[in-house]
Amino acid sequence: MDVLIVGSGGREYSIGYALKQDESVNKIYFAPGNGATDQLGENIAIKDFNELANFAKEKNIDLTVVGPEDPLVNGIVDIFQEQGLTIFGPSKAAAQLEGSKVFMKNCLQKYGIPTAKYIETDSLEEATNFINQMGEPIVVKADGLCAGKGVIIAQTKQEAIEAAKGMLSGESFGDAGTKIVVEEYLDGYELSIFAVCDGKDYVVLPAAQDHKRLLDNDEGPNTGGMGAYVPTPLIDDELYKKVEDRVIKPTLKGLEEDGMPFSGVLFIGLMIVNNEPYVLEYNVRFGDPECEELMVLFESPVSDMLLKAATGNLKDVEVKFKEDTYAVGVVLASKNYPYSSSEPAEIIVDEIVHEDLKENSYIAYAGVSRDEDGKLLATGGRVLVCVGLGSSIREARDRAYMLVGQVHFYGKKCRTDIAYQALKQ
Ligand code: AMP
Ligand code: GLY
């Protein structure tokens, strides 16, 4: 089959990388892709969804896979489906789970899913009253999409009120903040769980742990994610079952009853408090960088799972993962990430002579482009992810960091402690 992948990050690179191993996949297109995805397929510079759907029809694309949230929230799936095309991802209506935190929290409440206590409001007075009744810290969230920056963990009530004021006035995040969610702070550890859904049935993928903060020991500002590993030992069968029974099943049932059956990936951002799962947020796509590790753990063809999800046939799917295998991914970011953009810098990757490393690692390219001489340049915030595989988290981690040592560009920075929570156990 021929596949179109929408997006340009490391997540989309890794989906392409996995699909390329599938015998049934013939040609891969990326829209728009990045400076390295052209090694896996062909980059297409079409942005408009209708034009892209026309392109997919002309080229007889069998499956379109949407990586990022923006096109999903803006209705790319509806447009493709109206044209009779097969596309992996939720409808515009269901994508509101990520597009609006108010919508998401209201769904959680309506479907009886455990989450932090909250109010939604557009009034500073109401927000202030709620804040004054709460213990500290307090979490203040802008309603709309803010590229991961719309969440403030306020250490004091005063700070929470200031954050609410900044958002509601439109100063902090423009229109995305004119409605807010104020909620209690949950103290536990975070997990990312992905359920691939077809509207009715679902497959739960092995749980991942991301590292959102810029610096070691979870210090510094929040980022899109500085590294992740899969599977994490911080979840056992009992906890998986709680997540299925209390979170995934009621969410899919509720959305179906409300006329917006969910298909695509439901990304459940969980906080585990005293061994109980609480939903922090839903996203409606694969996590980045979690996807970069997940994609190399499949034993069964990824294309088959995505196609069956997109066509409502997940009940017939057999999804298998490599046995006793772990993947650790370390993000290499550019000098000024996440504050501002950085000067383009040439990327040099040393030849990997070590057979063991060659066979058990790969680079997922994200914020990269090519100059006119064909040189690969670091041009984005998160430039690439070095992924190592191994029969233990430690082995996978060591390989990932060995690979980090083989990659050079000016200003390169990374965390040195990815997977530390698993390794200290
Ligand atoms: P979100 O975009 O809602 O996932 O929030 C981004 C990050 O803020 C999460 O990954 C958590 O680290 C943190 N966070 C969000 N909500 C809460 C909460 N209620 N309690 C503690 N931490 C939170
Ligand atoms: N890694 C977190 C995210 O993709 O939102």
Side-chain angles (χ1 to χ4, degrees), residues 7 10 21 24 71 77-78 91 94 98 120 144 166 196 233 240 247 299 309 332 382-383 420:
Q21 334 275 322
S24 62
V77 168
D78 307 60
S91 65
E98 178 159 4
E120 55 144 307
V196 173
Y240 269 119
V247 179
E299 183 82 58
L332 299 193
R382 289 188 293 171
V383 175
Y420 79 96

Side-chain angles (χ1 to χ4, degrees), residues 101 139 141 151 183-186 190 212 280-281:
K101 293 214 189 286
V139 185
K141 300 183 175 185
V151 175
E183 69 181 26
E184 72 174 320
Y185 178 82
L186 296 173
E190 283 184 63
K212 290 219 165 81
L280 284 183
E281 63 161 351

Side-chain angles (χ1 to χ4, degrees), residues 129-144:
N129 287 340
F130 186 72
I131 289 166
N132 281 329
Q133 293 162 29
M134 295 173 81
E136 293 163 343
I138 297 159
V139 185
V140 185
K141 300 183 175 185
D143 178 42

Side-chain angles (χ1 to χ4, degrees), residues 11 210 212 224-225 267 281 283 285-290 382:
R11 167 181 47 210
D210 187 15
K212 290 219 165 81
F267 168 169
E281 63 161 351
N283 294 311
R285 35 90 196 166
F286 283 111
D288 191 350
E290 294 94 323
R382 289 188 293 171

Side-chain angles (χ1 to χ4, degrees), residues 72-73 75 77-78 81 89-96 259-263:
L72 295 167
V73 170
V77 168
D78 307 60
Q81 284 175 345
S91 65
K92 184 175 183 174
Q96 289 177 86
M260 41 191 148
F262 190 92
S263 92

Side-chain angles (χ1 to χ4, degrees), residues 64-117:
T64 298
V65 182
V66 187
E69 60 275 20
D70 266 316
L72 295 167
V73 170
N74 289 313
I76 191 170
V77 168
D78 307 60
I79 289 173
F80 271 57
Q81 284 175 345
E82 276 160 27
Q83 301 272 352
L85 291 158
T86 301
I87 182 163
F88 178 81
S91 65
K92 184 175 183 174
Q96 289 177 86
L97 276 186
E98 178 159 4
S100 163
K101 293 214 189 286
V102 169
F103 176 88
M104 183 238 340
K105 289 294 285 193
N106 289 345
C107 283
L108 293 174
Q109 189 174 49
K110 184 171 171 196
Y111 308 151
I113 293 160
T115 187
K117 286 198 200 70

Side-chain angles (χ1 to χ4, degrees), residues 24-77:
S24 62
V25 174
N26 181 28
K27 176 133 200 190
I28 305 174
Y29 297 92
F30 293 87
N34 63 40
T37 49
D38 58 1
Q39 304 296 302
L40 302 172
E42 188 179 332
N43 288 349
I44 304 296
I46 301 175
K47 287 201 180 113
D48 180 80
F49 300 161
N50 285 298
E51 278 179 42
L52 203 54
N54 287 340
F55 171 84
K57 271 187 131 171
E58 266 167 37
K59 296 283 181 189
N60 289 318
I61 301 281
D62 301 283
L63 173 68
T64 298
V65 182
V66 187
E69 60 275 20
D70 266 316
L72 295 167
V73 170
N74 289 313
I76 191 170
V77 168

